Amino acid sequence: MEKANDSSEYGFILVGFSDRPKLELILFNVNLTLYSVAVLGNTTIILVSILDPQLHTPMYFFLANLSFLDLCFSTSCIPQMLVNLWGPDKTISYAGCAVQLFSFLSVGGIECILLAVMAYDRYVAVCKPLHYMSIMHPQLCLQLVAVAWGSGLVNAIVMSPLTMTLSRCGKRHINHFLCEMPALIKMACVDVHAVEMLAFTFAILIVLLPLFLILVSYGYIAAAVMRIKSAAGQRKAFNTCSSHLTVVTLFYGSIIYMYMQPGNSSSQDKGKFLTLFYNLVTPMLNPLIYTLRNKEVKGALKKTFGRQQEARER
C-alpha cells in the first residue's frame, strides 16, 4: 500500500517554541539544569535504597521503582528536546518518535498505577500498623509492581503502533516538544474515532481508576487519623503520608489540568509547559520531597556519604 505520508521515511518536525528563539535558549538552560538535578536526585534515591539495609522495606522498594520510572520518564524525551532547543534542527526520526511515544505511554501508565500501589502501602501503614509487615510481604510487593509494569506495557504495546501507523497525508509538523499521543492523533487525515475511544478506555483504566483507588485509600487514612486522639499521633500519621500525597498532587494535578484545556493556541502553549512540568519538574522534585520530609532517607544519606568520606580519609 502506498503511504499517504512521508513521516516513516523523513521523520517528524517537533515545532515546540521554534517561533521564539530567545525563549528556546532560556528553556534549554533551565531544562538542562532541571534534568541534571532530576538524574542526580533519582539516582541517589535508588542507590541509597539498595545500599542501606534499613531501607529494605516495602515503602522504599516502591520509592526506588518510582525514582527509576522518573529517570526513564525524563530521559525518554528531555535529551531529544535539548538537542532541538539548542539548534535549528527540530527533526526526530520515525523510529525515534516511535520509541519516545512507547516510552512515554508505558512509563506514564506504570507510574500512575505505582502511585496507587504506594497509596495502598500507606493505607496499611496507618490503618493496620501491627500487621504491616505480614500484609506487605515481599511476594505481594513484587506482584503489585509486576501488575503496574505489565499494565503500562500493555497500554504502550497497543496504543503506540495504532498511533504511529495512522495516515497523516504528508503532515510532519508536531505542534509539541515531543511525540505525544494526542498531538500525533490530531495530525491524522483519517477517521480516528476508534483510536480515540480505545485511548479513552485505557485512560480510564490506567489514569482514572488508580486515582480513584488513591482517593479511597486516603479517605480511609483520613478517617483513621481523625480517630487518633493525640496531636502527636495525628502528626506522625500525617508525616507518614505527606510525601506521597504531595507527589500524587503534583503528578495528577498537572495531567488533569493539561487535558482539561480547550484547543486554542494559548492553551496549547500552556499544555507544552505543563508537559514539561510532569516530564521534568515533577521527577526533579520527587527526590527532594522524599528526602526533605523523611528522616530515614536523610539518615541513610548521611550514613552512605559518611562511609565514603571515611574510606577516602583512609
Side-chain angles (χ1 to χ4, degrees), residues 4 89 95 134:
D89 184 13
S134 61

Side-chain angles (χ1 to χ4, degrees), residues 2-312:
E2 186 179 350
K3 290 184 178 160
N5 59 39
D6 299 320
S7 56
S8 60
E9 183 178 352
Y10 300 108
F12 297 96
I13 298 170
L14 297 171
V15 176
F17 286 110
S18 55
D19 57 335
R20 306 180 202 176
K22 291 183 179 179
L23 179 59
E24 282 193 319
L25 182 60
I26 294 170
L27 286 174
F28 175 84
N29 290 310
V30 171
N31 290 349
L32 180 60
T33 302
L34 294 181
Y35 178 62
S36 301
V37 174
V39 170
L40 178 63
N42 285 292
T43 303
T44 301
I45 291 289
I46 294 169
L47 290 175
V48 168
S49 298
I50 294 171
L51 295 174
D52 194 318
Q54 290 186 346
L55 299 186
H56 292 176
T57 62
M59 176 183 170
Y60 295 104
F61 172 67
F62 297 136
L63 179 56
N65 271 270
L66 180 66
S67 292
F68 178 72
L69 289 172
D70 281 339
L71 275 176
C72 295
F73 210 35
S74 295
T75 304
S76 68
C77 61
I78 299 302
Q80 177 69 48
M81 186 190 302
L82 291 172
V83 170
N84 291 348
L85 287 171
W86 178 253
D89 184 13
K90 311 297 180 188
T91 59
I92 182 172
S93 67
Y94 183 87
C97 188
V99 169
Q100 193 176 84
L101 178 64
F102 185 90
S103 303
F104 192 77
L105 288 175
S106 59
V107 174
I110 295 166
E111 186 154 343
C112 287
I113 298 171
L114 184 64
L115 288 172
V117 170
M118 294 175 77
Y120 175 70
D121 173 70
R122 294 300 83 205
Y123 156 76
V124 176
V126 173
C127 299
K128 301 182 180 181
L130 298 178
H131 304 286
Y132 177 73
M133 293 309 297
S134 61
I135 294 174
M136 299 303 296
H137 53 83
Q139 188 177 357
L140 177 63
C141 294
L142 286 171
Q143 289 171 347
L144 291 172
V145 168
V147 168
W149 277 83
S151 302
L153 289 172
V154 167
N155 175 42
I157 289 169
V158 173
M159 292 309 304
S160 294
L162 286 176
T163 304
M164 292 303 298
T165 54
L166 288 171
S167 179
R168 297 180 178 84
C169 302
K171 295 178 184 176
R172 297 177 56 215
H173 290 74
I174 302 174
N175 188 22
H176 218 296
F177 286 114
L178 59 127
C179 294
E180 193 186 36
M181 187 171 67
L184 287 166
I185 291 176
K186 195 178 291 186
M187 293 167 60
C189 58
V190 293
D191 184 12
V192 294
H193 179 71
V195 176
E196 288 179 331
M197 288 306 298
L198 187 58
F200 180 71
T201 303
F202 272 112
I204 291 173
L205 295 173
I206 289 181
V207 179
L208 295 183
L209 181 58
L211 178 59
F212 172 74
L213 295 174
I214 290 169
L215 294 175
V216 169
S217 296
Y218 275 103
Y220 279 109
I221 289 170
V225 170
M226 294 297 291
R227 289 195 295 269
I228 300 173
K229 295 180 180 179
S230 68
Q234 288 184 341
R235 192 161 51 249
K236 183 180 178 181
F238 175 76
N239 289 336
T240 300
C241 305
S242 59
S243 297
H244 177 257
L245 191 57
T246 305
V247 169
V248 168
T249 304
L250 287 171
F251 185 79
Y252 270 102
S254 58
I255 290 177
I256 291 170
Y257 181 78
M258 187 182 81
Y259 285 104
M260 287 179 66
Q261 291 294 301
N264 56 53
S265 59
S266 173
S267 66
Q268 285 176 0
D269 284 352
K270 283 183 185 177
K272 293 174 188 177
F273 281 114
L274 283 167
T275 302
L276 277 177
F277 186 85
Y278 71 75
N279 271 274
L280 188 56
V281 178
T282 302
M284 184 271 295
L285 287 176
N286 287 353
L288 296 177
I289 291 167
Y290 278 100
T291 302
L292 294 175
R293 295 191 174 207
N294 194 304
K295 293 179 180 178
E296 291 175 324
V297 174
K298 284 194 275 190
L301 284 170
K302 287 177 183 176
K303 267 199 271 180
T304 303
F305 288 114
R307 286 174 194 155
Q308 290 180 352
Q309 185 98 21
E310 287 175 10
R312 282 176 192 165

